[in-house]
Amino acid sequence: MPDYEYDTLNEAQRRAVTTTTGPVLVIAGAGSGKTRTLVHRVAYLLAEGVEPWHILLLTFTRKAAQEMLWRAASLVGNFSSQVTGGTFHAIANNLLRRYADLLGYPSSFSIIDQADAEGIVNLLKSSLGLGRENRQFPSKRTIVSILSGAVNRSISIEDLIDRHHSHLAEHLDDLLTLYQHYQSYKRQHALMDYDDLLVNWRRLLIEQPEAREALSRRFAYIMVDEYQDTNLIQAEIVRLLAASHNNVMVVGDDSQSIYSFRGADFHNIMRFPELFPDATLIKLEENYRSSQPILSLTNAIIEAAAEKYAKTLFSRIEGGDKPKLYAAQDERDEALFVVEAIQKLVADGVPAREIAVLFRSGFHSFKLELELTSLGFDFEKRGGLKLTESAHMKDVLAFLRLLVNPRDGLSWSRVFLQLDKIGPKTAQKFTAALISAADPWQELQALPVSASVRVGFAGLCRFFAGLRQEDAPPLALYEKILEYYQPVFQRLYADDYPKRQKDLDQLKSIISGYADIQSFIDDTTLDPPDTGGSVNRDRLVLSTIHSAKGLEFDAVLVIGLAEGRFPHSAAGIMGAQWEEERRLLYVAATRARKHLWFTYPGELMPPDRMFKRVAMSPFLGEIPPHLYERLRPRHRSIPASFARPVATATMIKAATAADLTPGRRVSHAFFGAGTVTALASEGRLDVHFDRHGLKTLHLDYAKLMLL
C-alpha cells in the first residue's frame, strides 16, 4: 500500500477526499481547488487499498485527466497509472471497441468528426435530391447541428425544430428522411460520430445486462469532473455504471454551467440529490485564486440567480483593488480605454500573457482588435480550426483510417477524389463497390477503370499493397504516405501548399509518439490538436468567455456589458437562457486574480445603422455599488478618426451610390472617418481612412455613412 499524506487539504476538501462510500455531490466554487480534491481522492483510494482498475475518472478534456493522474502519481507513485481516466467520449470509444459486436458494429469502427458528418450529409442531400429547387433548405452545417442537438438534448428532431428552428418546419419531413439515411450510412460504413459514442455506450448499459454488471463491478469507484457540463445521456451513463454500488462522486459548480448550446443540462447537477437520494453534499468555498474584493463582487453576481446551491466564496489572499466599472461613450471610446488600461498594466510589470480581454461574442472585440493592431500590440484571439480539421490533413488521415477500417466509405471517397480525372460520381460508384464487397482490398484491384485514370489508379493500388505489408510503427507508415501524397498535395493545393506544409510536418511530430495507428486516429478525432503559435509567447489574450472557462489571469477586462449585448437580446427575460447569461458573467469575473474591469459602450449602432443610447447590463445593475469603483469619463485626445458628430438623422445618413463621388467624406463602422478617392467597377470604391489608410470596399456590404 503506498504512503499518502493529505494534511495540506482544508476541512471541506478533506471531507470530500475521505468520503468514499455512497454518492457524493461536491459543489466546488471557482478557484476552490476542485482538481486538487479529485487528485487527492484518487491517491486516498489507492492508499486505502483500492485496486487502481476499480477507479474511473471521467473528465471533459484528455489534458485534465492526464494532469490529474500525473499529480496523483506524484503523491502515491506510478501505482495510479492503472487508473482508468479520460473524457466520456474516449472511455466510450475504448469500451465500445471491446463490446461493439453486441451492438452490431465491428471493433474496427471509425470515428467521424463534425466536418466528416457534414460531408456525409451533403452527399446524402445530393443523392436524395433535397434542396435542389429550394434555396431556403438548410445547409449541411445546420442539418448536422439539428441532428446532434436533438441527441444531446434527448429530444426528438420534431421537438427541436419546434423549439429552436421553427422557420425550418416546412422541411421537417425531408430532414427526418435525411436523418434515417444518415443513420443507415454510418452503420453500413462502420462509422460512429461523437454522439453515437455516448448513445451506444448508454445502449450497451441498458440492453446488455451482463455487460452493465461487469462494468459496474469493474468501476467500483466513479468520479466525474465538471458535472454541471454533462448532458442527459452522460448523467444516465453515470447512473447506470453506479447501479450496483452507488459509489459515485461528482464535482462541479452550478454557477459555471454555461454550455446549454452543446446540450449540457444545468439541472443534472441540481437533480443529483433526487437521482441519488442519500447523497452527501459538500461545498468547497475557500478560493485560492482571487483577492477578496473580486470575490465579493462575484458572489453578488450569482446571489440573484433564480436556482442555485447557496455558497459564499472567500479568500485568505490579502489586499487587492476593488473591481472597476467604466461607462464608455461608445465602442471606440471603450476600445481606447481598454488599450490604455493594458498599456498601464504592462508598464507596471504585468506580463501581457497574464492579461485577458473577455467578451460575450467574437465580433464584440472588432473595434479593440483594430486599435491594438494599429499600435502593433501582439495579441492572440482564442478559437479557430483544429489541426486535423483542414482538408489536406483529412487527406492524409484517410489513408491511415482505411488501414484499420477498409469499409470507411468517407475515406475511400476522399482517396479516390485525389486522383486526377476522377469526379464525385465515379468516386461514389467505386466506394459503394468496395464497402459491399466481402474483401474491399481484393475488390480494389478488380475495379473497372477507364484508360484516362488507369496509370494513377494502378499507382494507388500498388501504394496500398505495399503499405498493408509494412509491419512498421505509425511514424514509418506516415512517412510512406507522405512520399505518395506529396505530389498529389502540391497539385490539389497549388495556391498555398508551402503554407500548408507545416501542418504535415507538425502531424509527423505528433504521430511519432504513438505505438499503434488506432490510438492515433482515435485521439486526433476525439481530441484534435490546435493550430497556432507557441503558448509560451508573451501575448495579450482576447477570448470569448466560453473559451476562457477554466483559465485564470492576473488581470481581466470584460467588455461589451451593455443592455441587449449582455445578456444577449435573444435571452428573453428571467428564463433559463437569462440565468445562463448571468452565470456566463460570473465565469468571466472569476477568471481574475488581482485586477478586474467591467466596461460597456453607452452608444451602439444596431442593424438600422442609426446610433442609439444603451444602458449597462442589468446584471451590473444588480451589484451593490460599494463593491466596485466607478471610473469617471476622462477628457482625452481622441484621434481624428474617432471624432464624429452626434449621430442624428439630419447630420448623418446612409450613403448611396449617387452620393459617393471622389472627395466625399464618409464614415465606416470599423475604420472610422475617411475620404472617397476613386470609384472602381462592380460596385467597389476606394476610401482613404484617416487612421487606417487606403481600403477597397464593396458598396453593398460596407454600409458607409455620409459625414
Side-chain angles (χ1 to χ4, degrees):
M1 180 186 300
D3 293 329
Y4 167 66
E5 297 290 340
Y6 53 86
D7 293 342
T8 57
L9 300 176
N10 65 38
E11 183 179 348
Q13 291 172 336
R14 188 177 299 116
R15 187 175 171 221
V17 165
T18 58
T19 306
T20 59
T21 303
V24 181
L25 170 60
V26 178
I27 299 299
S32 63
K34 73 172 179 63
T35 299
R36 191 161 175 256
T37 301
L38 283 165
V39 167
H40 278 264
R41 194 171 198 263
V42 171
Y44 180 80
L45 287 169
L46 295 173
E48 289 295 299
V50 175
E51 300 291 356
W53 48 86
H54 284 320
I55 302 173
L56 174 63
L57 174 61
L58 291 166
T59 64
F60 275 82
T61 66
R62 181 174 61 166
K63 182 180 178 182
Q66 290 174 336
E67 179 186 351
M68 289 183 202
L69 295 181
W70 179 83
R71 287 171 59 178
S74 70
L75 295 174
V76 294
N78 288 332
F79 201 54
S80 65
S81 63
Q82 299 174 58
V83 171
T84 301
T87 66
F88 275 90
H89 293 86
I91 300 301
N93 171 56
N94 292 336
L95 294 177
L96 291 173
R97 296 281 174 202
R98 184 188 313 169
Y99 293 103
D101 60 308
L102 297 178
L103 301 175
Y105 280 88
S107 60
S108 61
F109 65 84
S110 295
I111 306 169
I112 60 174
D113 61 17
Q114 180 172 325
D116 296 328
E118 289 174 4
I120 294 172
V121 163
N122 212 37
L123 177 68
L124 295 174
K125 268 178 64 178
S126 177
S127 64
L128 293 169
L130 299 178
R132 288 179 181 172
E133 299 179 0
N134 189 337
R135 302 184 69 178
Q136 300 303 314
F137 196 79
S139 67
K140 61 183 180 180
R141 175 162 293 186
T142 299
I143 294 169
V144 170
S145 175
I146 289 171
L147 302 185
S148 179
V151 173
N152 282 288
R153 291 175 172 84
S154 295
I155 60 176
S156 67
I157 294 174
E158 293 93 328
D159 284 346
L160 183 74
I161 289 178
D162 182 55
R163 297 180 195 178
H164 303 287
H165 303 276
S166 57
H167 61 292
L168 299 177
E170 65 179 295
H171 305 298
L172 177 59
D173 290 342
D174 287 339
L175 290 172
L176 292 174
T177 298
L178 188 56
Y179 170 71
Q180 294 300 326
H181 281 79
Y182 177 60
Q183 295 295 88
S184 298
Y185 185 98
K186 289 185 293 180
R187 285 193 296 269
Q188 184 182 11
H189 295 78
L191 304 174
M192 289 192 200
D193 59 27
Y194 292 156
D195 300 328
D196 293 327
L197 291 172
L198 298 183
V199 169
N200 286 325
W201 188 4
R202 180 179 61 179
R203 274 187 59 206
L204 177 70
L205 296 174
I206 292 174
E207 297 174 8
Q208 303 295 329
E210 291 184 5
R212 178 179 68 242
E213 184 62 27
L215 291 174
S216 189
R217 284 198 309 269
R218 175 185 169 185
F219 299 127
Y221 296 89
I222 301 170
M223 284 169 279
V224 186
D225 188 22
E226 304 284 12
Y227 190 72
Q228 79 280 348
D229 293 335
T230 55
N231 61 26
L232 290 172
I233 298 175
Q234 291 163 328
E236 190 172 2
I237 287 170
V238 172
R239 181 183 64 80
L240 291 166
L241 277 178
S244 69
H245 51 71
N246 279 354
N247 294 331
V248 54
M249 182 178 88
V250 301
V251 181
D253 184 2
D254 54 296
S255 300
Q256 297 188 69
S257 179
I258 59 172
Y259 293 118
S260 65
F261 66 94
R262 295 181 186 170
D265 194 324
F266 166 77
H267 291 100
N268 279 347
I269 196 167
M270 303 306 297
R271 294 174 186 147
F272 186 83
E274 299 174 17
L275 202 60
F276 296 92
D278 56 342
T280 299
L281 174 63
I282 301 171
K283 298 179 184 178
L284 305 184
E285 297 175 288
E286 181 170 358
N287 178 285
Y288 295 91
R289 174 190 301 159
S290 307
S291 63
Q292 189 58 52
I294 291 175
L295 294 180
S296 296
L297 183 140
T298 59
N299 287 335
I301 291 173
I302 211 66
E303 176 62 29
E307 189 176 4
K308 63 183 181 297
Y309 287 103
K311 59 183 177 296
T312 303
L313 297 184
F314 68 93
S315 175
R316 301 179 194 273
I317 299 173
E318 297 181 357
D321 299 329
K322 276 187 179 182
K324 297 175 175 59
L325 172 65
Y326 181 71
Q329 176 186 336
D330 53 25
E331 288 183 275
R332 294 165 179 168
D333 182 35
E334 183 181 39
L336 283 173
F337 172 81
V338 170
V339 168
E340 290 180 5
I342 292 169
Q343 289 174 324
K344 185 175 187 306
L345 285 166
V346 172
D348 290 343
V350 180
R353 65 179 177 275
E354 286 294 344
I355 305 171
V357 182
L358 306 183
F359 30 85
R360 172 64 181 80
S361 301
F363 72 91
H364 291 173
S365 67
F366 285 172
K367 292 273 195 314
L368 176 61
E369 291 174 50
L370 289 171
E371 184 64 20
L372 290 169
T373 300
S374 70
L375 294 173
F377 212 108
D378 197 12
F379 64 88
E380 169 190 357
K381 190 169 183 179
R382 295 291 169 90
L385 281 177
K386 300 292 187 180
L387 179 66
T388 51
E389 290 175 349
S390 50
H392 55 294
M393 303 301 277
K394 284 185 172 294
D395 286 348
V396 172
L397 291 173
F399 296 107
L400 291 170
R401 285 170 54 154
L402 287 171
L403 289 179
V404 296
N405 178 15
R407 298 190 187 283
D408 183 345
L410 199 63
S411 292
W412 274 123
S413 180
R414 193 164 203 104
V415 165
F416 288 141
L417 288 172
Q418 293 174 17
L419 297 176
D420 196 18
K421 297 183 180 179
I422 287 187
K425 288 186 178 180
T426 303
Q428 190 174 351
K429 182 177 71 174
F430 286 173
T431 297
L434 292 183
I435 64 173
S436 62
D439 183 347
W441 297 115
Q442 186 175 346
E443 182 68 18
L444 177 67
Q445 304 285 340
L447 287 174
V449 295
S450 64
S452 62
V453 300
R454 192 168 294 150
V455 174
F457 195 85
L460 176 67
C461 292
R462 287 195 302 272
F463 165 68
F464 266 126
L467 200 64
R468 292 179 60 226
Q469 291 174 2
E470 287 277 346
D471 184 15
L475 178 59
L477 293 173
Y478 183 73
E479 289 175 337
K480 290 279 187 184
I481 291 170
L482 282 186
E483 185 179 339
Y484 168 85
Y485 178 67
Q486 195 68 36
V488 178
F489 169 62
Q490 293 182 10
R491 172 173 55 83
L492 293 178
Y493 306 102
D495 291 343
D496 64 349
Y497 76 85
K499 181 179 178 182
R500 294 173 182 255
Q501 184 69 49
K502 66 179 181 180
D503 292 339
L504 298 176
D505 297 337
Q506 186 176 346
L507 194 63
K508 181 178 178 179
S509 67
I510 294 171
I511 199 173
S512 65
Y514 285 83
D516 65 281
I517 302 173
Q518 187 71 69
S519 297
F520 167 73
I521 292 172
D522 289 348
D523 283 353
T524 54
T525 306
L526 292 170
D527 192 13
D530 288 295
T531 56
S534 168
V535 296
N536 295 320
R537 291 185 63 182
D538 188 22
R539 296 190 295 181
L540 170 73
V541 174
L542 272 57
S543 176
T544 64
I545 301 169
H546 287 101
S547 296
K549 185 175 178 292
L551 304 178
E552 56 186 74
F553 305 89
D554 281 349
V556 170
L557 299 100
V558 189
I559 66 173
L561 291 170
E563 186 178 27
R565 277 200 168 177
F566 207 135
H568 191 274
S569 57
I573 299 177
M574 307 312 290
Q577 194 59 45
W578 178 279
E579 290 299 319
E580 180 159 323
E581 294 281 304
R582 183 197 309 282
R583 298 193 293 270
L584 194 62
L585 179 59
Y586 175 84
V587 167
T590 54
R591 301 309 95 201
R593 297 192 194 103
K594 302 175 182 177
H595 310 284
L596 175 63
W597 283 265
F598 291 148
T599 71
Y600 70 94
E603 195 173 65
L604 288 173
M605 181 187 286
D608 63 9
R609 312 300 295 169
M610 295 301 297
F611 287 95
K612 71 172 186 177
R613 299 296 300 174
V614 292
M616 66 180 177
S617 166
F619 297 144
L620 295 182
E622 295 172 346
I623 301 173
H626 71 273
L627 295 178
Y628 58 83
E629 177 186 353
R630 180 183 281 272
L631 301 178
R632 293 182 179 180
R634 291 175 293 165
H635 295 290
R636 57 166 63 88
S637 177
I638 303 293
S641 66
F642 275 39
R644 61 168 176 78
V646 177
T648 66
T650 59
M651 298 180 67
I652 186 167
K653 69 173 185 175
T656 65
D659 298 320
L660 296 172
T661 56
R664 188 66 193 252
R665 292 286 290 172
V666 294
S667 175
H668 185 273
F670 297 146
F671 298 129
T675 303
V676 176
T677 60
L679 301 179
S681 60
E682 299 179 349
R684 298 180 183 277
L685 72 161
D686 293 338
V687 180
H688 189 279
F689 291 100
D690 300 346
R691 190 170 181 80
H692 297 283
L694 187 65
K695 303 290 180 183
T696 298
L697 306 175
H698 196 291
L699 181 59
D700 290 343
Y701 305 114
K703 297 184 178 178
L704 296 171
M705 310 295 286
L706 298 178
L707 291 178

